[in-house]
C-alpha cells in the first residue's frame, strides 16, 4: 500500500523530519500505461491485401459461360455474364450497389448454373469515376465469396459510355 513514512533525520534544527514517499503505486501506474499503449498500438496495425497481378504476355482463354464482369462506378456496379454485346442485347446487364450482400447474390446466382464452381472468373473493371474504396470493396467481396480467379482490367469505351448514361 502507499504510505508516507516520516523518520527522524539528524539535522541542525530539532523537530525536522524527512519524508519518504512510497513510489510503488506510481511505478504500477507507469507499467499499466505502457501495457495499455503497447496493446492498443498492436490492435491498430494495418492489414495488407495481397494482390497478385498477372505477368505481361498472352492472356488466358476462358469460356464466356465461366466469366462474370463487374463495371465499377461510383458506389455502384454493373454486372453481366459473358460477352458485353450479347449481354447488352439480351438486356442482362444488372445494376447493383457495391455491398457484399448484393455482389454475393450475383456471384452465387452465376455459380448455380456452373458445373465446376471453381472455374468462375470475375473481371473487375473500374471506371474513372470509381474510387479506390470501391475497388477494395469489390476485392473484399471476391475474398468473402471465395472467387479465386479474378482480375482488374480496363473497361471498354462502350462499358464506360453505358454506365455513365445510367
Amino acid at each position: 500500500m502507499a504510505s508516507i513514512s516520516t523518520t527522524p533525520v539528524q539535522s541542525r534544527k530539532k523537530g525536522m523530519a524527512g519524508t519518504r514517499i512510497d513510489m510503488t503505486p506510481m511505478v504500477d501506474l507507469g507499467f499499466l500505461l505502457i501495457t495499455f499503449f503497447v496493446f492498443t498500438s498492436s490492435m491498430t496495425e494495418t492489414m495488407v491485401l495481397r494482390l497478385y497481378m498477372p505477368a505481361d504476355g498472352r492472356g488466358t482463354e476462358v469460356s464466356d459461360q465461366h466469366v462474370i464482369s463487374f463495371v465499377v462506378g461510383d458506389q455502384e456496379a454493373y454486372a453481366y455474364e459473358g460477352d458485353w454485346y450479347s449481354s447488352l442485347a439480351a438486356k442482362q446487364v444488372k445494376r447493383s450497389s457495391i455491398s457484399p450482400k448484393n455482389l454475393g447474390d450475383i456471384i452465387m446466382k452465376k455459380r448455380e448454373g456452373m458445373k465446376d464452381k471453381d472455374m468462375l472468373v470475375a473481371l473487375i473493371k473500374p471506371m474513372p469515376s470509381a474510387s479506390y474504396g470501391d475497388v477494395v470493396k469489390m476485392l473484399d467481396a471476391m475474398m468473402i465469396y471465395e472467387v479465386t480467379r479474378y482480375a482488374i482490367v480496363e473497361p471498354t469505351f462502350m462499358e464506360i459510355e453505358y454506365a455513365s448514361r445510367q
Side-chain angles (χ1 to χ4, degrees):
M1 258 343 249
S3 65
I4 299 176
S5 61
T6 56
T7 57
V9 176
Q10 304 267 339
S11 67
R12 292 185 190 145
K13 295 182 183 179
K14 270 195 158 187
M16 293 291 282
T19 57
R20 180 183 165 280
I21 299 175
D22 186 12
M23 295 299 289
T24 305
M26 188 66 75
V27 172
D28 289 345
L29 180 63
F31 279 113
L32 283 172
L33 286 171
I34 289 170
T35 304
F36 172 75
F37 287 119
V38 167
F39 177 69
T40 55
S41 67
S42 68
M43 285 176 47
T44 59
E45 288 181 6
T46 57
M47 299 297 290
V48 177
L49 175 67
R50 289 194 177 120
L51 180 62
Y52 298 104
M53 298 299 285
D56 289 335
R58 204 178 114 212
T60 305
E61 294 293 325
V62 179
S63 171
D64 280 348
Q65 57 187 324
H66 295 117
V67 176
I68 186 166
S69 298
F70 295 97
V71 180
V72 182
D74 185 27
Q75 298 293 322
E76 62 187 8
Y78 296 92
Y80 64 93
E81 300 176 12
D83 181 46
W84 168 254
Y85 297 107
S86 60
S87 295
L88 188 60
K91 298 186 186 229
Q92 293 181 346
V93 179
K94 301 170 195 135
R95 184 177 183 179
S96 170
S97 67
I98 300 178
S99 71
K101 182 180 180 340
N102 291 343
L103 297 172
D105 290 343
I106 294 169
I107 292 169
M108 296 310 245
K109 206 175 274 187
K110 173 67 177 171
R111 278 192 175 151
E112 284 176 5
M114 296 176 61
K115 291 179 184 174
D116 189 6
K117 298 181 185 339
D118 292 335
M119 292 298 293
L120 178 65
V121 177
L123 300 177
I124 302 169
K125 301 179 177 187
M127 293 190 334
S129 63
S131 68
Y132 181 74
D134 295 334
V135 177
V136 170
K137 287 178 186 177
M138 291 297 298
L139 293 173
D140 285 344
M142 297 302 125
M143 292 187 71
I144 290 169
Y145 291 97
E146 298 174 352
V147 178
T148 56
R149 299 172 188 218
Y150 56 89
I152 299 175
V153 296
E154 291 288 324
T156 63
F157 176 75
M158 294 298 293
E159 291 168 335
I160 294 172
E161 189 69 28
Y162 178 82
S164 61
R165 284 185 306 189
Q166 297 299 321

